[in-house]
Amino acid sequence: MSPSTSFLISTFPPFPSLTISLSSDAPVSSILPCLQQRYPSLPPLADLDAELSTHSGVMPLPNSPVSVFDAPFVSLRLAPCLLGGKGGFGSQLRAAGGRMSSQKTSNNDSCRDLTGRRLSTIKEAKKLAEYLEAEPERLAAKAEAQKTKLEALERKLGIEPPSASNGASGSSSKDPPTLAGKKHRFEDTEYIEQSRELVDSVKSAVSLALLKKKKKAKLSHPPTTTAERLRKQPKKNC
């Protein structure tokens, strides 16, 4: 009696795994007919165009004997062949890739450089360095604007700077006084007296109004004596 080879065949749902035994001299092409004969509940495998394959994907030629597996126990897989669709999967992938490329962003601030620092931190440090470097220019521009503003205010107040001739003649002896930033005292005695009189008149008017209101309240509600209060109280029955 020639030795035999056992096969464990994994099928597709809803069928379970199946087992058959064949002699070592039987060809590989006889596995499917024997399986169909052993399990008649299976659908016609020829109509399904079912194929056998090993788990490694390498299957011997149909005319080869079963002994080529060189093992007493062989595990196979049975799967029906499926018809292909109409295609178009490549075009769908290209369309999805185009949509993904259109949504690319140039914001890489959350990325890190080779030293581990975030790019956003590096950008902020560069901005701060540029700001500190331009600080003297900003201060000079601010001082110039303030000086121009003060000179315009002095011209409005009637304080004119000395003429060019006076400045040229006096430059040999001493520098001309700077008018920008000079403090001026505002003195107007008439305005001060009027403001004081106005405040005093308002205070006296308010005091007089309060005094009249108190007198009116006293006249409308005269104080009652103790005897009158006792007379107005109701008598209690003993």
Side-chain angles (χ1 to χ4, degrees), residues 142-152 180:
K142 184 178 180 181
E144 185 67 25
Q146 188 175 6
K147 181 179 179 181
T148 306
K149 184 178 179 180
L150 290 174
E151 289 177 354

Side-chain angles (χ1 to χ4, degrees), residues 124-203:
E124 291 177 359
K126 288 182 179 178
K127 290 181 181 178
L128 182 59
E130 293 175 357
Y131 179 82
L132 295 176
E133 186 178 355
E135 183 69 16
E137 298 179 0
R138 285 195 302 272
L139 293 177
K142 184 178 180 181
E144 185 67 25
Q146 188 175 6
K147 181 179 179 181
T148 306
K149 184 178 179 180
L150 290 174
E151 289 177 354
L153 182 60
E154 289 177 350
R155 285 195 296 269
K156 289 182 180 179
L157 294 175
I159 305 173
E160 294 293 338
S163 60
S165 60
N166 296 336
S169 62
S171 59
S172 59
S173 60
K174 61 179 180 178
D175 296 333
T178 57
L179 297 177
K182 184 178 179 180
K183 295 183 179 181
H184 303 280
R185 184 178 181 84
F186 180 75
E187 295 181 357
D188 192 349
T189 56
E190 184 179 357
Y191 170 77
I192 295 174
E193 292 178 359
Q194 289 180 359
S195 62
R196 288 178 180 175
E197 291 177 359
L198 183 61
V199 172
D200 294 339
S201 61
V202 171
K203 287 183 179 180

Side-chain angles (χ1 to χ4, degrees), residues 79-100:
C81 293
L82 300 177
L83 299 178
K86 68 179 185 61
F89 186 65
S91 61
Q92 293 178 5
L93 287 179
R94 285 191 295 271
R99 287 193 297 269
M100 292 173 64

